[in-house]
Amino acid sequence: MNYDRSIYLDAVKETLETNIFYHSLALEACVGGVYDHLQSENRITSNEPKKDDWLLAGLIHDIDYAGEFKDQHPANTAQALAKHNLTVSDSVMQIVKAHGWHYPGGLKPESLAQWTIFCADSLTGLIIAVALVYPSKKLSEVKVSSVLKRFLKEPKFAAGTRREDVKLCELETALNIQLDKFIEICLGSMQKIATDIGL
Ligand SMILES: [Fe+2]
């Protein structure tokens, strides 16, 4: 790792409400998992940002979703980081902008990193919501089939999930990963950090 994750982690934790902080950790885990999957299939080309950039973008992508910046999220990522005397590279910033494609300061995803953050952003909330249905509220109990069923057949469940955005993972011009596989990767990645996100 070529960046000090702990200082970015502290900044995100200090700035964001707990649920958004947990979502940030979840998205960091998901983009890391998708990177590893794509790499295992030799789909990470030299044009792609390095894995550290994927992870850091996942971690800090919502850092301006608080306080005076919240209304313009994600347009003020640099300013929100500056409050902690932090910066990120252009590569990380481009990934962050892509997660907010449809928002001010957003950017249409192009790289695999950008499509991954865009498609996974909204999926973490649905996966967490599925875990919360269980009496134990444990992510370890959640199965891919349960998430898929809630996703496809129960549009009112976790209604804020932007299902159409998540489903773009299947596009050949995006990630070319089938939805069930994408859910499997994200769920597995989140299960690895379940205790960090209170599940
Ligand atoms: Fe987010």
Side-chain angles (χ1 to χ4, degrees), residues 20 23-24 27 58 61-63 65 73 99 117 120-122 124 162:
I20 309 286
H23 158 71
S24 302
L27 189 58
H61 79 285
D62 274 343
I63 195 163
Y65 194 62
H73 168 75
H99 99 273
I117 200 166
D121 185 32
S122 191
T124 66
R162 300 185 304 276

Side-chain angles (χ1 to χ4, degrees), residues 5 26-27 38 66 84-85 94 111 114 140 150 163 172 191 197:
R5 178 178 180 267
L27 189 58
L38 292 168
H84 302 273
N85 295 315
Q94 299 302 306
S111 67
Q114 291 173 326
S140 58
R150 301 274 192 188
R163 286 165 167 78
E172 274 182 41
Q191 284 172 332
I197 56 174

Side-chain angles (χ1 to χ4, degrees), residues 5 15 45 110 114 124 128 141-142 181-182 189 196:
R5 178 178 180 267
T15 305
T45 65
E110 287 180 3
Q114 291 173 326
T124 66
I128 290 170
E141 295 210 42
V142 177
K181 184 68 187 175
F182 193 64
S189 304
D196 296 339

Side-chain angles (χ1 to χ4, degrees), residues 12-193:
V12 171
K13 188 174 185 178
E14 197 177 295
T15 305
L16 299 176
E17 290 172 19
T18 305
N19 63 332
I20 309 286
F21 171 58
Y22 286 168
H23 158 71
S24 302
L25 294 181
L27 189 58
E28 177 192 34
C30 290
V31 297
V34 174
Y35 180 98
D36 291 343
H37 169 76
L38 292 168
Q39 193 181 44
S40 76
E41 296 200 325
N42 294 317
R43 292 186 51 204
I44 301 289
T45 65
S46 55
N47 297 330
E48 274 299 317
K50 54 190 194 304
K51 186 178 179 183
D52 278 357
D53 292 352
W54 292 50
L55 293 171
L56 184 54
L59 179 63
I60 61 115
H61 79 285
D62 274 343
I63 195 163
D64 67 344
Y65 194 62
E68 74 267 38
F69 301 130
K70 192 169 181 177
D71 289 346
Q72 291 130 24
H73 168 75
N76 292 304
T77 305
Q79 291 89 329
L81 285 166
K83 286 180 105 179
H84 302 273
N85 295 315
L86 292 171
T87 57
V88 292
S89 65
D90 278 350
S91 170
V92 172
M93 196 61 86
Q94 299 302 306
I95 303 171
V96 170
K97 285 183 177 171
H99 99 273
W101 178 11
H102 302 308
Y103 295 91
L107 200 69
K108 182 182 187 297
E110 287 180 3
S111 67
L112 293 172
Q114 291 173 326
W115 277 113
T116 299
I117 200 166
F118 179 76
C119 296
D121 185 32
S122 191
L123 179 59
T124 66
L126 179 83
I127 292 175
I128 290 170
V130 174
L132 294 178
V133 167
Y134 292 85
S136 68
K137 304 195 188 317
K138 291 288 181 202
L139 211 43
S140 58
E141 295 210 42
V142 177
K143 296 189 172 43
V144 174
S145 56
S146 313
V147 179
L148 197 56
K149 183 166 159 266
R150 301 274 192 188
F151 188 103
L152 294 173
K153 305 208 165 133
E154 297 178 35
K156 288 189 179 150
F157 181 84
T161 304
R162 300 185 304 276
R163 286 165 167 78
E164 292 310 309
D165 290 355
V166 177
K167 272 206 84 173
L168 292 180
C169 67
E170 295 192 334
L171 282 184
E172 274 182 41
T173 49
L175 297 174
N176 200 10
I177 298 176
Q178 291 306 296
L179 180 64
D180 57 346
K181 184 68 187 175
F182 193 64
I183 289 172
E184 179 191 319
I185 297 165
C186 290
L187 173 60
S189 304
M190 288 170 59
Q191 284 172 332
K192 287 182 191 159
I193 58 142

